[in-house]
Amino acid sequence: MIVNGVDLSEYMRIKRINRQLAPSVENMVFDVPGMHGAHHIRNIRKARRIEVEFTVIGNSVSDRIEKAHIIAGYVTSEQDMTIILPDEPEKVYIGSLSGETNLDEILHTAQGTLTFFCSDPHILDDTEQTAQFNANGQLTVLNDGTAETYPSFSIAFNQPTTFFEIVNLTTEKRVRLGFPIEVEQTPIDPQELILHDTMASTSGWQSGVQVDGGTISGQFESDGEKFYVSDFGTGSSWHGPALKKSLSEEVQDFRIDTKITLNNSVGEVGRVEVYLLDVNDNIIGKIALKDSRSNSQLNSVEARAGALSGGFYFISEAGDNPGVWNDFDGMLRIERQGNRWGAYIAKISPEGVHYARRTRFYTDVAQQFMNKLASVQVHIATSSDYQPCDMSINEMRVYKLNQPQDQQQEIPYIVHANDVVDIDNGLNRVLRNGEPLPQIVDVSTDFFPLEKGSNVLEVFPKDIATVTAKWRRRWV
């Protein structure tokens, strides 16, 4: 038996496996007074249970006890586990340990029963299947399992669009994103990229002008992939290098996405900051991640509209679960549209998916913080003589935000060239470049399954993206 990828045959021998022919079924019906029988609505597959009778054989009593402890460590978990049984090596059950785990112990042997509660009644294929839509935007999928299964799609766009949909022609269900444009309407770009810096070089960046509560000292360098600090300089408070870069134009409505790293440990302090500067180098806003506690490990985020003096912090926290942003590799975002400021922080997984997310907004009713954005400044610092955290700035994008002047005639693009949208029909989830984006999902969307047998899928428009489908067969 393999649990979460670990083969337990080294520690136990399976005597018998007791499982159901199919998951339990609940019949949903309603009675009508005066009518024979009842009206059938649908059937629901309930959770299933698997009982595994096993024996532990040790070279000695202590060896048998040690093996039992090892087994217990692998089969107990707070989350569902993947379970592969030896007589079905290509099928995967999803479940967790349930009930008692008593052992009958005799010298160097022990016998017991493991009961797994499978909240998902279906059995999964251990291999994910992949196929790409053809040049005509079609794909035929043969689902030869005994149950419907939910696919996922990865869509790599080669041009902007206001609309995209995937249709299962077999069932006429569809996932629709955005709005199709009519001939009288005009597409507009809601976010115009005016700066994209991969931090491959410090060329084009100038010396920073000012930072909060500290001094600018030391030096940034680039290793071709990120900015890092080669010298923090010296100072009795926060100190470290700062560089600024001017934009091609002054911007009233903007969004700044900065990918950073801040790996923190006890005994280390550090901060990574992005400053927003006007044409006179006055600070008009800031977003930062920092660990200012040398005796603990706690990253916190702060975002501010305005300068240090007189500004307003609309986020300043360590998250719902303090420590959630420790060892941070992710994104900091600050934006302003009209008089509404916004901040966003998220870790990014190795697969590119955003998690540990937080979004906050602030409306500047008095319109105190409305100067145009002219340049951006990055800053990394430590404090006094404390050991600095491992910190870097990995990428920056600055967007000019454009609002439709006529909501009926101007339709915004939902994606641009090189954007990747991931649709997971099983999770009812749409990601754009790893970030959840439910606002582009049309209300008519039905995150469809692949029915048993042949399914003909089609995308519209046909020539604007490379579309790959993934699915796993399922059995009842």
Side-chain angles (χ1 to χ4, degrees), residues 149-153 423-429 447-449 474:
T149 188
Y150 287 87
S152 62
F153 304 94
I423 301 173
D424 192 319
N425 281 15
L427 297 176
N428 293 1
R429 185 181 71 179
F447 290 96
F448 58 81
R474 298 199 303 180

Side-chain angles (χ1 to χ4, degrees), residues 197-411:
D197 200 309
T198 60
M199 306 300 171
S201 169
T202 57
S203 177
W205 291 78
Q206 303 172 314
S207 299
V209 290
Q210 57 177 311
V211 295
D212 293 348
T215 58
I216 297 175
S217 63
Q219 184 173 343
F220 270 124
E221 289 190 15
S222 172
D223 61 4
E225 296 182 347
K226 60 183 181 294
F227 282 7
Y228 68 94
V229 178
S230 59
D231 177 17
F232 282 94
T234 59
S236 58
S237 58
W238 290 107
H239 58 91
L243 292 175
K244 76 163 189 171
K245 193 166 194 175
S246 298
L247 304 179
S248 57
E249 60 179 295
E250 293 183 62
V251 182
Q252 186 64 48
D253 296 334
F254 56 81
R255 190 180 87 203
I256 303 171
D257 292 346
T258 310
K259 292 182 178 179
I260 71 164
T261 298
L262 200 165
N263 294 318
N264 53 327
S265 300
V266 176
E268 300 175 346
V269 299
R271 68 180 187 181
V272 180
E273 302 189 312
V274 178
Y275 290 87
L276 288 57
L277 306 177
D278 67 12
V279 68
N280 296 314
D281 286 337
N282 297 311
I283 296 174
I284 63 172
K286 181 186 87 165
I287 189 166
L289 187 70
K290 65 179 181 180
D291 186 340
S292 57
R293 299 168 176 82
S294 63
N295 59 353
S296 66
Q297 181 186 16
L298 188 64
N299 277 343
S300 60
V301 65
E302 59 183 26
R304 186 184 70 222
L308 178 62
S309 176
F312 179 80
Y313 286 93
F314 56 98
I315 182 172
S316 181
E317 59 171 281
D320 289 337
N321 299 307
V324 68
W325 293 318
N326 287 344
D327 296 326
F328 186 86
D329 188 359
M331 176 184 288
L332 300 179
R333 170 182 296 160
I334 187 167
E335 64 181 29
R336 184 185 67 195
Q337 196 156 22
N339 64 342
R340 188 178 190 237
W341 288 77
Y344 171 83
I345 178 173
K347 282 185 169 181
I348 301 177
S349 73
E351 295 75 30
V353 177
H354 292 211
Y355 68 104
R357 297 174 286 118
R358 170 73 89 223
T359 302
R360 284 287 183 268
F361 293 103
Y362 158 66
T363 300
D364 178 17
V365 176
Q367 299 190 8
Q368 302 177 76
F369 315 115
M370 297 295 293
N371 287 4
K372 290 185 176 181
L373 175 69
S375 59
V376 290
Q377 175 181 280
V378 294
H379 170 59
I380 295 180
T382 185
S383 183
S384 187
D385 56 356
Y386 289 108
Q387 182 71 22
C389 301
D390 171 27
M391 299 173 284
S392 65
I393 300 171
N394 309 324
E395 185 180 13
M396 176 179 284
R397 295 174 186 258
V398 180
Y399 298 91
K400 176 184 177 181
L401 302 182
N402 302 309
Q403 279 295 315
Q405 299 301 308
D406 185 338
Q407 302 246 352
Q408 299 300 318
Q409 295 300 316
E410 296 180 337
I411 307 300

Side-chain angles (χ1 to χ4, degrees), residues 456-470:
V456 180
L457 310 181
E458 191 166 16
V459 299
F460 301 98
K462 300 178 182 299
D463 58 352
I464 66 170
T466 299
V467 185
T468 303
K470 297 180 181 180

Side-chain angles (χ1 to χ4, degrees), residues 20 32 39 42 51 84 100-101 137 178-179 185 196 268 305 311 327 330 373 384 410 424:
Q20 299 160 284
V32 177
H39 279 296
R42 61 177 296 200
E51 293 182 350
I84 300 177
E100 301 294 331
T101 56
F179 302 94
Q185 296 174 322
H196 181 203
E268 300 175 346
D327 296 326
L373 175 69
S384 187
E410 296 180 337
D424 192 319

Side-chain angles (χ1 to χ4, degrees), residues 9-22:
S9 60
E10 179 182 349
Y11 311 106
M12 61 188 288
R13 296 178 185 175
I14 294 179
K15 296 171 56 181
R16 181 188 303 170
I17 299 174
N18 300 318
R19 78 198 100 187
Q20 299 160 284
L21 172 67

